[in-house]
Amino acid sequence: MKSSWYLLIILGGLYGLQELVLTLYYRHAIKKSPFYFGTKTTNPTQQFIWNGFLTIYVLYAVALLAEGFSLRFFGLISYLYPLQTLPAAVTGFITGVIGTLTIIRARIDLGTSWRVGIDRTTEDNLVTSGIYHYSRNPYFSGLFLFQAGLFLIIPSSTLLYALVLSFFLIGIQIRQEEEFLREKYGQQYRQYESQVGRFFSLNLSGHSTRR
């Protein structure tokens, strides 16, 4: 369905726009690159995660080309035909938009503490307010919603592989970051960890502060 292709382009454009604008803004605000992945880390696990996400981006490009130009890449791409409906595509688009808005809110609430990867060189404060009052990992929660939305728009084997790989990589990255935050903030983070869920919690206690 060409309508699915257009929905995919719009959703991808919205995500790309926020990525460009917010990354440039925070790069200017902190006077250095916020990226600590890829060649900027010697941690083999972080390098593995980075390479994994590069693979996901390649899968996105393949899925986009396949849908836009009716390519099947020698039969390597298949589709879950029961999900190839307009209601599923619209549901995916809405899910993706919610995910993107969650990402934007997470980045704004984190402010100049925003980093891609683990930054062991900068002293900053633990953020527990805003959307972080309800989730310890709102960015990753939003990212998974965004990727699930892409799959619902175009339910191809390529995007299913990307979704499963992303879930695996996000899980590893979250555990790496949690270990780092326990080491950096000690009891302050452990208390926060005990009160707020990894992905979501209905937190009505009002305890959260931004320090």
Side-chain angles (χ1 to χ4, degrees):
M1 291 189 299
K2 285 300 180 183
S3 57
S4 296
W5 192 77
Y6 293 132
L7 288 175
L8 188 71
I9 291 293
I10 294 170
L11 184 58
L14 177 62
Y15 176 85
L17 181 62
Q18 68 82 24
E19 187 69 30
L20 176 64
V21 171
L22 290 178
T23 297
L24 289 176
Y25 172 78
Y26 288 123
R27 186 185 185 108
H28 174 75
I30 66 177
K31 310 299 182 185
K32 62 179 180 180
S33 172
F35 288 91
Y36 290 83
F37 259 150
T39 59
K40 294 193 174 184
T41 177
T42 58
N43 184 313
T45 304
Q46 292 288 286
Q47 291 174 339
F48 170 78
I49 294 170
W50 172 250
N51 291 330
F53 275 109
L54 289 180
T55 302
I56 289 172
Y57 297 145
V58 171
L59 290 173
Y60 287 159
V62 169
L64 189 61
L65 288 172
E67 184 68 16
F69 300 98
S70 299
L71 302 175
R72 291 298 178 268
F73 293 97
F74 307 103
L76 294 176
I77 296 179
S78 58
Y79 290 85
L80 281 75
Y81 291 106
L83 290 178
Q84 280 193 305
T85 64
L86 184 59
V90 172
T91 300
F93 181 76
I94 294 171
T95 301
V97 169
I98 292 172
T100 303
L101 293 176
T102 302
I103 288 171
I104 293 171
R105 178 63 190 270
R107 296 185 70 174
I108 290 174
D109 284 352
L110 205 56
T112 56
S113 296
W114 168 257
R115 299 291 187 276
V116 178
I118 295 176
D119 176 10
R120 297 183 180 275
T121 63
T122 304
E123 290 297 324
D124 51 17
N125 298 318
L126 180 64
V127 176
T128 63
S129 63
I131 198 170
Y132 291 88
H133 183 69
Y134 304 98
S135 170
R136 301 201 312 270
N137 296 281
Y139 176 86
F140 288 123
S141 299
L143 181 62
F144 191 76
L145 284 175
F146 169 77
Q147 293 171 332
L150 293 181
F151 171 70
L152 287 174
I153 293 173
I154 300 180
S156 71
S157 57
T158 308
L159 290 183
L160 180 60
Y161 299 150
L163 185 63
V164 172
L165 179 57
S166 178
F167 182 79
F168 172 69
L169 294 173
I170 285 174
I172 297 175
Q173 180 63 20
I174 285 176
R175 284 165 176 79
Q176 286 253 304
E177 291 185 1
E178 288 176 342
E179 182 180 345
F180 166 70
L181 291 170
R182 291 187 199 104
E183 176 186 325
K184 183 174 182 177
Y185 296 110
Q187 183 58 34
Q188 184 186 12
Y189 182 76
R190 290 186 179 89
Q191 181 179 2
Y192 172 60
E193 190 176 26
S194 69
Q195 295 170 326
V196 178
R198 176 174 283 160
F199 295 107
F200 176 76
S201 59
L202 188 60
N203 196 336
L204 303 176
S205 64
H207 69 83
S208 181
T209 59
R210 181 168 184 159
R211 300 174 186 171

